[in-house]
Amino acid sequence: MESSTKDSDAVVQNALLYMAERPTIAEACKNLLSTLLADPMVPYQAAELHLIVRDLLRAVTATAPSALDRPQNADEDGMAYLDFVMRLRSAQHTYTLLTAKGVSISKHVGRGYMQFVWPAVKQVLHFGEAGEGPPGTPWDAKSSARPEGAAAPRESQMDDEQGLRGGKKKDQATAHEVVLSRFQTELFTDKSLMWEKDFLQTVSRQIQQRGVVQSAKQTAAKQT
């Protein structure tokens, strides 16, 4: 009984930590959009990128962590599986609390929650190979089915909204891969600018530093 109470307390505490993380997923996606739009190597219009990020955020809200539930793998350590179950319960408790309030999941949780549910969200977005997930995630690589409870794709609706008729869908799929690949990379990169709490201040400092370096180089060039 005592152990059960401790487990329940841990689930609640972990859920509170998920909801306390900043920036939120929605805020991080805004940072990602700013980064992509400023990147001359990303040849897509702002409207295209906004639509892809919007669908990413909708997928987060539509995907319950319970979609990741699975039995213990044959070669999985018992403690590792118990850790997974605890994280699953914590994420699901977070999802249940926020859903009951009728609020957007992505506006109230941050990176830790996103890292855990990303394998299931990827399936909803049809990104990457079926069952593929970054190292350390609980996704069962042997499963190619869409997770139970995951929202079905809205391909025809997306086509209509984005005007992807007459051969444009191929280009949009490329933009889809670019945005989601960058999002995944930033999600699992320790020192990611996208997940900086002070994103604008950090970018401003970087710009100033580059300006100082460029000015120094120009001065040095004139003196030679």
Side-chain angles (χ1 to χ4, degrees):
M1 183 68 178
E2 183 180 350
S3 176
S4 178
T5 301
K6 287 182 178 180
D7 286 348
S8 297
D9 289 345
V11 166
V12 173
Q13 289 301 316
N14 289 340
L16 292 174
L17 289 174
Y18 278 143
M19 290 185 283
E21 285 187 316
R22 293 297 180 272
T24 64
I25 298 169
E27 290 168 341
C29 281
K30 289 181 181 179
N31 298 342
L32 175 64
L33 273 174
S34 297
T35 302
L36 291 172
L37 291 172
D39 188 344
M41 301 301 292
V42 178
Y44 302 108
Q45 298 298 316
E48 291 180 277
L49 302 178
H50 274 283
L51 286 170
I52 296 167
V53 170
R54 182 201 61 183
D55 283 308
L56 166 58
L57 295 175
R58 286 181 176 178
V60 173
T61 295
T63 306
S66 57
L68 288 166
D69 196 9
R70 58 170 177 79
Q72 182 177 356
N73 294 326
D75 58 349
E76 185 175 18
D77 177 77
M79 291 302 295
Y81 181 68
L82 288 175
D83 177 66
F84 158 69
V85 171
M86 180 60 69
R87 289 186 293 136
L88 176 64
R89 289 178 58 194
S90 300
Q92 184 59 42
H93 185 65
T94 305
Y95 181 88
T96 301
L97 285 175
L98 295 176
T99 301
K101 292 182 179 180
V103 298
S104 172
I105 304 296
S106 64
K107 292 181 179 180
H108 291 82
V109 294
R111 191 178 194 175
Y113 180 92
M114 188 71 235
Q115 287 178 332
F116 185 77
V117 302
W118 176 240
V121 173
K122 283 177 61 173
Q123 295 294 302
V124 176
L125 294 168
H126 299 277
F127 173 65
E129 295 298 323
E132 176 188 330
T137 58
W139 190 253
D140 180 2
K142 297 179 181 178
S143 173
S144 59
R146 192 182 50 189
E148 181 180 356
R154 300 178 299 107
E155 293 174 353
S156 59
Q157 180 183 346
M158 288 173 65
D159 283 354
D160 290 337
E161 291 177 354
Q162 300 172 21
L164 303 181
R165 302 295 186 186
K168 292 185 179 180
K169 190 170 183 178
K170 181 177 180 181
D171 292 337
Q172 181 63 24
T174 302
H176 177 87
E177 291 293 327
V178 167
V179 173
L180 296 184
S181 292
R182 180 73 71 87
F183 180 86
Q184 177 172 265
T185 298
E186 298 292 339
L187 180 61
F188 293 95
T189 298
D190 289 338
K191 295 182 179 180
S192 166
L193 179 61
M194 171 181 156
W195 293 95
E196 280 280 345
K197 291 181 180 180
D198 301 316
F199 174 77
L200 293 178
Q201 292 88 333
T202 302
V203 171
S204 178
R205 284 197 301 270
Q206 290 181 350
I207 291 174
Q208 290 176 359
Q209 289 170 358
R210 289 171 188 166
V212 170
V213 171
Q214 186 64 29
S215 177
K217 287 181 178 179
Q218 290 175 349
T219 300
K222 291 178 180 178
Q223 293 176 347
T224 58

